[in-house]
Amino acid sequence: MSAVVAEHEHDEHHDHGPQKGLLRWVITTNHKDIGTLYLVFSLAMFFIGGAMAMIIRAELFEPGMQFVDPQFFNSMTTMHALVMVFGAVMPAFVGLANWMIPMMIGAPDMALPRMNNMSFWMLVAGVLLLASTLFMEGGAPASGWTLYPPLVLQTGAALPFAIFSVHLLGISSIMGAINIIATIFNMRAPAMTLMKMPLFVWTWLITAFLLIAIMPVFAGAVTMLLTDRFFDTSFFDAAGGGDPVLYQHIFWFFGHPEVYVMILPTFGVASTIIPVFARKPLFGYSSMVYATASIAFLSFIVWAHHMFTVGMPVAGELYFMYATMLIAIPTGVKVFNWTATMWKGSMTFETPMLFSIAFVVLFTIGGFTGLMMSIAPSDFQYHDTYFIVAHFHYTLVPASVFILMAAGYYWLPKWTGNMYNERIGKLHFWLSAVSVNILFFPQHFLGLAGMPRRIPDYAVQFADWNMISSIGGFIFGISQLLFLYIVIDTIKGGTGEKATDEVWEDAHKHGLEWTLPSPPPYHTFTTPPATVPTEHI
Amino acid sequence: MSTNNAYYVPHKATWPVVGTAGLVIMLAGFANHLNGSPMGSAWMILGLVVFIIMLTGWFTLQAGESESGMYNTQVGISYRMGMMWFIFSEIMFFGVFFGTLWYTRNLSVPWLGGEGIGQATKELLWPSFDAVWPTNGPANVGGEFEPMGAWGLPFLNTLILLTSGVTCTWAHHGLLAKKRDQLIKGLVATVALGFLFVACQAYEYHEAYSEMGLTLGSGIYGSTFFMLTGFHGFHVCVGAIILSVVLFRSWRGHFKPENHFAFEAAAWYWHFVDVVWLGLFVFVYLM
Ligand code: HEM
Ligand SMILES: [Cu+2]
């Protein structure tokens, strides 16, 4: 054996397993290793961001100031959002992309393996810079995750760190996205034509395009914040001829597509899971592809629906109102297709399917509130209230996060070779599904009654629903520990039952990954597969 | 060794973490420097050095691999896609600043002057503000200044960059036709013109600051002028450095007509920088 190890340095092409020791994880270029790194990292961030949410809900449990001072409260809402968006949800989907895309399209690895490693470490660096601001003079940024000037320019020592953190996160996302596009366009098995790709791959292709288009825009916006604060420029200062509203336009030109960055891969995973458990092909495969593409296109031309109250010209209000409503069409196509896929299917309700069905139902609620807010005159009432908080949490928690859970349950047996504990999985699902509604549904009422968002104290009329919401929040938070337990337990052997190659009944007809052993060897598809499954189409 | 039909998948990569460490040290140092910490700039320089070491090491590794024939056509396509999408991200980055210029010139400055939705703003806040471009805003931020004209140095710079685009293509033809001499001459000319451009730009900045009262602090005109031309100038520097590396490699006998990704990537980048300049010349200097 030692001869082989010594030779290792010289013969890089020798087919071999992972490097020994911890260094493996630092210098790895293997898509499965990097996928694992991303997923573990995002799970950790999910709990850190979750802890911040618990602080928020504890403070809002009752009217009056209980636990934290207002400045810190605002830091918590800001950091919670930034950590969840950039640290938890986005990296989790990149992790899934890394693990699954090469295996789904029959590629030996990602197209640019070294850059893949760098994307991950840039992410860690960015999040570390961001986290360091919690300990700085003046506290972490407290302006809300949108970082609007002039307020954000009052941040203390944290400001340049937060800005550079955005730059690093942007570089990380762009490198990751370039890699995904190059992989999908250039590394598919010859039999895997574009319109045979699993929808997860399609949605990621389009998401990656969005990322490359928008991350530089956010980088540009925060760069102007930096120069306005430190280098005398007047981009967002009317006295010098600039305009603070300009920042909002640029931010939301990034920000609206950004929310689709989090939801499109969600759609992709849902479209991958639902057919397997409904034992039917996906209904309307090609319409799913076109709907995804049109959502992505529309996402670039609707941004100012976040700014109905800034004092835009009426023509602008009307344009952005109608354009936003258009998004409901492709979104509706998708919801219809998922439902039609389940229609008359012989369904079984394993944990991944439960989470996916809950996603379809609860995401639709978020979509509907979105539609309500797209009506400009109505949005004058909803804007900056808890109604929005309810809206986007419905689109993010019981949608993106639920689907991430579903993906975890769905692919964990493939990744680890062990079955997870279905009983605890179902318990996790039911606790989450019930508590998430106790947590967020009352926030609609609070918002409609006029409770502003990002506020540590409130009028007593809002007391009851806030208390209920907080109770839901605590149950939801604690329930997620079950997921942590299941992940660790499954890695260590789970129920003791070994996962078969296809794991789920007939899954091998739906995706190439199920034709591989569970767990798959370190290198897969070093030669492309001759045929590809097409049951998902 | 690699056969020509296997996709090359490297198994270990040490440069990415080194580069990340360099970058984060540099940025944290810069942030500390901005916050007034005396050690900030030292960390910044340290980070920059580490980052440059990473670039040198990583590119040397890649160049060696490329020359030893480890990359097949498919690998080459991945690299080309990578470069194309990287340039696309750069276009979006410049788009932000061009968009800012457009928005301020056509919307927010006229509003400040009382047009459209800005009537009340004008009457109540800045009744005497005359909204004509170029402006440093109703508060005359940064004091009187003279705007930068188009037909002096900027026009010369346009000619310089356009010529450098031609010499770059001429070098490429040399490479394709296996005329190493033409390749090297063309690259030398391109790099020289690139640095000449930067020198002119530096002189222009010097004039602006010392003679014209035009600084980064000259309200929105100064902000957009220096942000756009500054980021562009930085990109010209980077492009010229990349081309210098390509020149060095050409001189060492690298590149073949059918395998010269680094040259192509550098040339694409150079043309991109060129096109951005044309945009600047029209929208920043001329209009
Ligand atoms: C069905 C399509 C959707 C429509 C029509 C829609 C519409 C809107 C509108 C009009 C607002 C602005 C409300 C205001 O500030 O007054 C908004 C806010 C928001 N939406 Fe949506 N939305 C949709 C889907 C989504 C999805 C899928 C996500 C995320 C995955 C999402 C995430 C958000 C977020 C994060 C905000 C608030 C941002 C903030 O101010 O911090 N939305 N949405
Ligand atoms: Cu939006």
Side-chain angles (χ1 to χ4, degrees):
Chain A
M1 271 329 277
S2 58
V4 177
V5 176
E7 227 178 62
H8 212 85
E9 285 297 327
H10 309 286
D11 188 5
E12 288 231 292
H13 302 278
H14 193 75
D15 210 17
H16 63 90
Q19 160 122 5
K20 298 270 173 308
L22 272 183
L23 196 61
R24 160 183 176 186
W25 301 100
V26 180
I27 61 175
T28 182
T29 52
N30 179 284
H31 72 103
K32 301 183 183 78
D33 280 355
I34 295 175
T36 305
L37 284 171
Y38 266 107
L39 289 171
V40 169
F41 182 80
S42 73
L43 191 62
M45 288 303 128
F46 179 62
F47 282 101
I48 291 175
M52 295 173 177
M54 294 297 104
I55 295 175
I56 295 171
R57 277 329 309 173
E59 181 58 52
L60 294 174
F61 189 72
E62 283 177 346
M65 301 302 302
Q66 268 74 239
F67 303 108
V68 295
D69 63 86
Q71 170 79 20
F72 186 72
F73 180 89
N74 286 339
S75 288
M76 283 296 101
T77 56
T78 307
M79 295 293 278
H80 162 73
L82 290 172
V83 167
M84 285 304 199
V85 170
F86 295 103
V89 176
M90 288 168 63
F93 280 116
V94 181
L96 291 180
N98 260 298
W99 251 104
M100 303 319 300
I101 289 178
M103 290 186 352
M104 284 177 155
I105 63 174
D109 205 302
M110 296 294 280
L112 304 159
R114 289 189 180 115
M115 195 170 77
N116 204 10
N117 174 296
M118 196 168 195
S119 327
F120 174 74
W121 289 107
M122 287 278 187
L123 165 73
V124 177
V127 170
L128 280 180
L129 268 197
L130 186 66
S132 70
T133 64
L134 279 166
F135 309 100
M136 283 175 190
E137 212 178 300
S143 58
W145 77 288
T146 52
L147 308 175
Y148 281 178
L151 183 62
V152 73
L153 298 176
Q154 296 172 17
T155 308
L159 186 70
F161 290 89
I163 288 172
F164 293 144
S165 145
V166 168
H167 287 138
L168 288 176
L169 295 171
I171 297 174
S172 161
S173 292
I174 291 171
M175 291 195 304
I178 288 178
N179 216 337
I180 287 171
I181 293 190
T183 305
I184 296 175
F185 277 142
N186 193 32
M187 304 287 284
R188 276 172 291 127
M192 181 63 76
T193 55
L194 282 177
M195 287 311 261
K196 281 189 188 149
M197 295 195 309
L199 262 169
F200 179 68
V201 181
W202 258 115
T203 51
W204 244 119
L205 177 65
I206 293 168
T207 303
F209 167 74
L210 288 184
L211 276 172
I212 303 177
I214 64 173
M215 292 313 295
V217 175
F218 193 19
V222 296
T223 305
M224 288 190 270
L225 288 179
L226 187 81
T227 57
D228 265 17
R229 162 85 172 256
F230 294 104
F231 299 97
D232 297 336
T233 57
S234 311
F235 290 109
F236 308 130
D237 178 7
D243 184 0
V245 174
L246 170 62
Y247 176 86
Q248 301 190 19
H249 280 294
I250 302 174
F251 180 87
W252 287 114
F253 184 85
F254 147 79
H256 185 80
E258 167 66 23
V259 306
Y260 284 96
V261 164
M262 295 186 279
I263 206 71
L264 292 182
T266 307
F267 292 168
V269 177
S271 309
T272 307
I273 292 180
I274 291 175
V276 170
F277 294 92
R279 292 170 182 72
K280 275 177 64 190
L282 182 68
F283 186 90
Y285 172 88
S286 51
S287 70
M288 284 295 210
V289 173
Y290 297 131
T292 310
S294 16
I295 292 178
F297 168 72
L298 288 173
S299 75
F300 283 108
I301 56 168
V302 298
W303 74 88
H305 62 220
H306 296 270
M307 304 165 54
F308 283 138
T309 60
V310 299
M312 267 188 294
V314 178
E317 302 268 331
L318 288 176
Y319 163 72
F320 283 108
M321 167 166 130
Y322 289 123
T324 301
M325 287 174 176
L326 279 182
I327 298 195
I329 298 169
T331 313
V333 168
K334 287 186 164 279
V335 174
F336 178 84
N337 284 350
W338 292 315
T339 317
T341 304
M342 290 186 270
W343 180 259
K344 291 192 173 167
S346 36
M347 293 207 278
T348 50
F349 300 93
E350 288 87 347
T351 314
M353 184 61 166
L354 287 174
F355 272 107
S356 303
I357 296 174
F359 151 76
V360 175
V361 176
L362 298 177
F363 170 72
T364 307
I365 297 181
F368 277 140
T369 51
L371 209 52
M372 288 171 70
M373 300 186 307
S374 67
I375 302 164
S378 311
D379 189 63
F380 282 35
Q381 167 74 5
Y382 311 141
H383 182 63
D384 262 353
T385 70
Y386 256 83
F387 192 80
I388 299 194
V389 179
H391 158 69
F392 66 72
H393 281 96
Y394 264 90
T395 58
L396 284 168
V397 184
S400 296
V401 173
F402 269 29
I403 281 295
L404 284 168
M405 301 290 170
Y409 287 107
Y410 184 60
W411 282 310
L412 257 181
K414 171 58 62 187
W415 297 333
T416 62
N418 306 317
M419 284 310 280
Y420 63 87
N421 186 323
E422 187 69 50
R423 275 231 326 271
I424 308 183
K426 288 205 164 101
L427 179 68
H428 171 224
F429 168 74
W430 284 110
L431 281 171
S432 304
V434 172
S435 61
V436 85
N437 285 293
I438 304 176
L439 165 58
F440 293 122
F441 211 83
Q443 297 182 358
H444 292 117
F445 310 143
L446 287 169
L448 290 178
M451 177 172 162
R453 68 192 281 205
R454 294 173 178 154
I455 217 90
D457 189 7
Y458 48 84
V460 284
Q461 72 190 78
F462 303 126
D464 296 350
W465 287 125
N466 267 306
M467 191 177 283
I468 292 174
S469 177
S470 288
I471 292 171
F474 300 143
I475 304 177
F476 184 80
I478 292 169
S479 314
Q480 302 320 307
L481 296 173
L482 285 176
F483 184 68
L484 184 62
Y485 168 77
I486 290 181
V487 170
I488 296 173
D489 180 59
T490 313
I491 292 172
K492 287 165 93 178
T495 54
E497 186 193 337
K498 288 287 159 205
T500 59
D501 290 359
E502 64 169 17
V503 183
W504 312 105
E505 193 189 350
D506 281 348
H508 66 279
K509 293 186 192 156
H510 290 263
L512 273 179
E513 75 266 36
W514 307 109
T515 62
L516 295 166
S518 310
Y522 199 55
H523 294 287
T524 42
F525 293 127
T526 34
T527 47
T531 55
V532 300
T534 48
E535 182 75 10
H536 56 279
I537 302 175
Chain B
M1 264 282 116
S2 152
T3 58
N4 221 33
N5 33 35
Y7 193 90
Y8 174 58
V9 178
H11 287 307
K12 276 176 269 175
T14 36
W15 291 117
V17 267
V18 176
T20 308
L23 199 57
V24 83
I25 293 171
M26 180 169 82
L27 290 177
F30 189 26
N32 272 313
H33 172 74
L34 291 173
N35 285 337
S37 147
M39 281 305 286
S41 41
W43 284 106
M44 209 172 127
I45 291 167
L46 174 71
L48 183 67
V49 170
V50 174
F51 192 73
I52 290 173
I53 292 174
M54 177 280 287
L55 286 177
T56 319
W58 194 336
F59 282 119
T60 309
L61 173 71
Q62 297 270 138
E65 287 179 352
S66 174
E67 287 306 309
S68 65
M70 283 156 84
Y71 301 159
N72 62 13
T73 324
Q74 198 186 3
V75 175
I77 295 175
S78 289
Y79 288 151
R80 281 170 182 75
M81 283 186 179
M83 191 64 196
M84 269 163 48
W85 288 102
F86 168 66
I87 290 178
F88 174 61
S89 79
E90 291 264 48
I91 292 174
M92 294 306 291
F93 185 73
F94 275 99
V96 176
F97 302 111
F98 277 108
T100 297
L101 182 65
W102 179 85
Y103 179 91
T104 43
R105 285 190 64 167
N106 293 294
L107 297 174
S108 64
V109 168
W111 288 337
L112 276 176
E115 251 182 55
I117 57 169
Q119 222 171 340
T121 311
K122 160 102 176 170
E123 272 161 28
L124 299 173
L125 289 178
W126 323 102
S128 59
F129 176 53
D130 192 13
V132 283
W133 192 263
T135 178
N136 54 357
N140 198 23
V141 170
E144 290 311 314
F145 68 92
E146 212 186 303
M148 188 62 72
W151 294 113
L153 262 189
F155 182 63
L156 184 65
N157 260 348
T158 308
L159 296 181
I160 291 176
L161 267 199
L162 285 178
T163 316
S164 79
V166 175
T167 55
C168 183
T169 305
W170 187 65
H172 197 184
H173 283 298
L175 172 57
L176 291 178
K178 296 197 177 164
K179 293 185 192 148
R180 189 124 312 239
D181 193 41
Q182 179 179 337
L183 165 65
I184 289 176
K185 275 188 195 146
L187 278 173
V188 169
T190 315
V191 171
L193 287 168
F195 284 117
L196 180 62
F197 173 94
V198 176
C200 290
Q201 194 76 358
Y203 181 74
E204 179 185 289
Y205 277 17
H206 178 74
E207 288 280 285
Y209 266 77
S210 58
E211 311 284 326
M212 303 163 68
L214 175 59
T215 70
L216 199 51
S218 300
I220 191 65
Y221 178 77
S223 307
T224 47
F225 175 81
F226 282 105
M227 199 72 150
L228 274 160
T229 55
F231 267 117
H232 176 264
F234 174 70
H235 279 74
V236 177
C237 289
V238 172
I241 292 171
I242 299 177
L243 282 169
S244 313
V245 173
V246 169
L247 170 60
F248 176 72
R249 286 185 57 187
S250 308
W251 173 67
R252 292 283 298 267
H254 289 198
F255 305 130
K256 290 186 225 34
E258 66 284 350
N259 171 24
H260 52 275
F261 163 70
F263 183 99
E264 271 177 80
W268 290 347
Y269 193 79
W270 195 249
H271 290 311
F272 153 72
V273 169
D274 207 352
V275 172
V276 172
W277 174 260
L278 293 181
L280 288 182
F281 186 68
V282 173
F283 294 113
V284 176
Y285 291 96
L286 258 187
M287 287 173 65

